[in-house]
Amino acid sequence: MAQENGLVNLILASEDFSPEEFVQYHHFMSYEENIIKKLMAHGPVLLKGGRGTGKSALLREADRRLNENPKSSNAIGIYLSLRHLPLLRTRGKQYEVELLQILIDKISKDAIEKHGFLFNSKPEVYEVHKELVRLSEHVGKRIVLFFDDAAHIGREAALEEFFDVFRTLSSSNVSCKAAIYPGVTRFGNRFDIYNDATVVEISRREDQEDFDEFFFMVMESRFSDLSKKTFSINVKEVASFLGQAVVGNVRSYVKACSLLLNTDKTIGFPILSEVMLELSRDYYWPMIDEVRLKIGIYEALIEPSESLAEMLYQTCAQKSGTSCIIHRNIVSRLEKILEILEYTGFIARREVSRGMKSGGRGTRFVLNLCNLLEVVSGTRLTKDLFDSWRKRESDDIQFSPNSNLNTIDLPEIPEDKNLSILELPIEKLKKSDMFPYGITDNKLEILKEQGFDTVGKLAEAADEVILKIDGIGERSLERFRSVLGQAIWM
């Protein structure tokens, strides 16, 4: 298996790890352990967090633990990824049928293979619930359903239907858990967020007790050649600082470490500075363009999001701040573009309500230090700046209702819009910074000859249709699905 800086294929998303690799490269501190216990316990749970915060890893780990020792466990886990194109294109009753059929297919396979139980249900929510209860009684255990990628920013069209299914399936026999993104609001009329589920929010804050230890552990476990590197700064301080720089986002942190450790030079402030600037230039800002293709009706909000980010960074850099408080009136008006910046890792919400000097209350955000470094005087990380940012000595920069943030105009949002990524030529799936596992030139030519000239056409094709193409086997199909997953889903 290919190695890169001691990391297998530089896998950033936990869902791309094999079961064996997942166990090898994932470790959990007390903070994560508490969340995993809630995911394994009775009751419906919504796991809320931005891109790369570790939602999938926590769901997979909870599922793994329930099924690892079936004799000692009082529940069985069924992990289900909802990365299915029909779910992005349907709504209402059709969405419900598609969702339930995916669930039936998954449970039927597991029930026969592991429990000798014939799961026989039509794609109707009460029928599925009745059959789940029968399965629970057959095995003498509670069923825990883990819905991954259930709700995305920009994909609200079918969320009401999802939460109706989530609520109906939940019972004393069946515990439903789902991963959602910040900003999901369309829970539907029948779903009461305060009574029908417990919301658990993932937030790796700089002031958490095991923050430093966690990020050093990730660096040490994911990069086997760490001990061979030379540091002029304490390596644990570097690990903690990078964790803070990427606002606690694990996926971005792994990317940062891969850049940092890709050198034979002594790792000090110059190298750390170069890595942060490269992340800002080649990772974070391009991510905004990547999200533009996937965000559907909110595509028009990308430019205002970029403008807001530039305003926040410029103002905070001028005033030597790493965090800010934005008045609640502005937060309310710019809610969706703030969600986009949270999703892409430009900012992280730390407090919903904090008093402001000018009066009123606002929401407190911390800023991504990689992007901030780009606009500070000198554009260079010095020891003084490193120490200041590490100690979080600066005051929060405050944006009142009359600040320049109120000059940002918001465009009208259409009621419906296809994902732009589906309309792009298939060449966009070629290996690149955006798609590091991309499709080879040879395979792209074969696909184009068969009429698969856009991303959408390949995504919509059934597996059996693709496998009939000469030169395409199971491994190629697996690669296609992996790349399409990166391209289409958040």
Side-chain angles (χ1 to χ4, degrees):
M1 191 171 287
Q3 299 278 327
E4 183 174 342
N5 295 324
L7 179 66
V8 180
N9 286 333
L10 188 58
I11 300 173
L12 298 180
S14 67
E15 53 266 39
D16 293 328
F17 281 98
S18 69
E20 296 76 21
E21 292 169 343
F22 180 85
V23 173
Q24 181 180 356
Y25 291 105
H26 286 80
H27 306 275
F28 302 94
M29 307 295 288
S30 58
Y31 174 70
E32 288 80 21
E33 289 291 345
N34 290 333
I35 296 176
I36 292 169
K37 288 178 182 177
K38 292 177 182 178
L39 292 173
M40 296 168 63
H42 279 278
V45 172
L46 297 178
L47 185 60
K48 183 178 178 182
R51 180 182 189 268
T53 52
K55 300 184 301 299
S56 295
L58 292 169
L59 290 175
R60 282 192 66 180
E61 179 63 11
D63 175 68
R64 187 189 71 81
R65 292 187 188 185
L66 287 177
N67 297 315
E68 184 178 30
N69 298 305
K71 291 184 179 180
S72 60
S73 175
N74 62 1
I76 58 175
I78 299 175
Y79 173 87
L80 185 69
S81 171
L82 297 185
R83 288 187 171 192
H84 293 263
L85 189 58
L87 297 180
L88 301 180
R89 293 186 156 182
T90 55
R91 62 186 68 189
K93 187 63 179 179
Q94 186 181 356
Y95 173 92
E96 180 182 304
V97 170
E98 293 281 0
L99 172 64
L100 291 172
Q101 190 59 58
I102 292 166
L103 180 60
I104 290 167
D105 292 344
K106 171 65 175 175
I107 298 175
S108 298
K109 181 180 178 182
D110 286 359
I112 284 288
E113 290 180 356
K114 299 178 181 178
H115 310 290
F117 179 85
L118 181 61
F119 191 92
N120 186 20
S121 176
K122 298 176 182 178
E124 200 282 321
V125 64
Y126 291 104
E127 288 289 324
V128 173
H129 177 259
K130 183 172 68 175
E131 202 68 0
L132 280 168
V133 172
R134 283 187 63 238
L135 173 59
S136 172
E137 292 172 346
H138 174 79
V139 298
K141 297 181 179 182
R142 182 169 46 91
I143 309 297
V144 184
L145 300 178
F146 298 101
F147 294 100
D148 201 3
D149 291 304
H152 289 248
I153 181 175
R155 311 279 177 83
E156 288 104 332
L159 291 188
E160 293 185 21
E161 288 75 30
F162 172 80
F163 289 112
D164 278 348
V165 171
F166 182 94
R167 177 180 179 272
T168 304
L169 294 181
S170 299
S171 68
S172 58
N173 296 86
V174 182
S175 301
C176 292
K177 322 288 178 175
I180 64 173
Y181 285 97
V184 173
T185 54
R186 296 188 185 178
F187 292 104
N189 295 327
R190 293 190 292 174
F191 190 90
D192 185 344
I193 185 61
Y194 298 106
N195 294 311
D196 290 331
T198 298
V199 178
V200 177
E201 189 159 357
I202 305 175
S203 177
R204 290 184 176 83
R205 302 169 61 105
E206 303 77 18
D207 54 1
Q208 284 176 342
E209 186 177 345
D210 58 7
F211 184 89
D212 295 358
E213 185 181 354
F214 173 80
F215 282 102
F216 177 67
M217 179 190 66
V218 172
M219 180 185 286
E220 195 173 36
S221 62
R222 295 289 295 266
F223 296 86
S224 60
D225 61 349
L226 178 63
S227 60
K228 300 175 184 177
K229 302 298 179 181
T230 304
F231 289 79
S232 63
I233 316 170
N234 182 286
V235 62
K236 292 186 177 182
E237 290 187 4
V238 171
S240 173
F241 179 78
L242 272 183
Q244 179 187 350
V246 299
V247 294
N249 187 289
V250 181
R251 189 180 303 179
S252 300
Y253 176 74
V254 172
K255 175 67 175 180
C257 290
S258 73
L259 296 174
L260 182 74
L261 300 175
N262 187 27
T263 182
D264 294 325
K265 298 178 181 178
T266 298
I267 297 172
F269 296 116
I271 297 292
L272 197 52
S273 185
E274 290 174 13
V275 165
M276 292 173 69
L277 292 173
E278 184 175 350
L279 281 169
S280 178
R281 180 182 63 248
D282 298 333
Y283 182 71
Y284 284 109
W285 286 108
M287 197 185 301
I288 288 277
D289 289 328
E290 177 189 348
V291 168
R292 183 193 306 269
L293 303 173
K294 307 178 184 185
I295 206 167
I297 61 172
Y298 296 116
E299 187 173 325
L301 294 181
I302 294 298
E303 288 187 14
S305 299
E306 292 174 325
S307 298
L308 176 60
E310 290 169 355
M311 287 182 182
L312 291 177
Y313 284 120
Q314 289 288 351
T315 303
C316 289
Q318 291 168 5
K319 299 181 179 181
S320 302
T322 60
S323 59
C324 62
I325 301 175
I326 303 176
H327 193 276
R328 61 185 179 184
N329 291 351
I330 300 177
V331 171
S332 177
R333 191 175 78 86
L334 304 181
E335 180 179 15
K336 186 57 66 173
I337 62 176
L338 285 166
E339 288 170 15
I340 292 171
L341 293 183
E342 279 190 85
Y343 174 79
T344 49
F346 278 66
I347 59 176
R349 194 180 304 242
R350 289 295 183 250
E351 293 175 56
V352 173
S353 183
R354 169 80 75 89
M356 301 184 68
K357 296 176 182 176
S358 58
R361 304 191 71 81
T363 300
R364 182 174 178 270
F365 299 88
V366 294
L367 273 60
N368 182 306
L369 301 184
C370 303
N371 295 24
L372 187 60
L373 184 62
E374 259 196 329
V375 292
V376 299
S377 178
T379 320
R380 181 171 61 93
L381 184 67
T382 63
K383 184 180 185 305
D384 288 343
L385 190 57
F386 177 87
D387 290 339
S388 174
W389 282 356
R390 277 263 297 155
K391 296 174 183 176
R392 302 185 294 277
E393 295 175 332
S394 60
D395 294 330
D396 298 314
I397 308 305
Q398 304 201 2
F399 293 91
S400 69
N402 298 320
S403 69
N404 60 344
L405 301 191
N406 249 339
T407 63
I408 294 176
D409 292 324
L410 297 178
E412 288 189 17
I413 304 300
E415 290 186 6
D416 196 16
K417 185 184 186 306
N418 198 19
L419 304 185
S420 294
I421 185 67
L422 298 175
E423 301 165 359
L424 294 183
I426 199 169
E427 286 85 357
K428 289 295 182 181
L429 299 181
K430 184 177 179 179
K431 186 173 181 178
S432 63
D433 289 340
M434 186 178 292
F435 307 122
Y437 314 138
I439 299 176
T440 64
D441 290 337
N442 178 48
K443 293 295 190 288
L444 285 173
E445 286 302 317
I446 292 174
L447 290 170
K448 287 171 63 180
E449 289 173 3
Q450 297 297 317
F452 296 104
D453 54 355
T454 67
V455 174
K457 288 181 180 179
L458 181 60
E460 291 167 346
D463 290 355
E464 53 268 25
V465 172
I466 297 174
L467 288 173
K468 288 180 181 178
I469 302 172
D470 288 339
I472 304 297
E474 290 285 353
R475 293 189 65 180
S476 295
L477 176 63
E478 185 179 344
R479 171 63 68 91
F480 297 165
R481 293 306 181 203
S482 175
V483 177
L484 285 167
Q486 297 173 62
I488 297 171
W489 281 269
M490 294 294 204

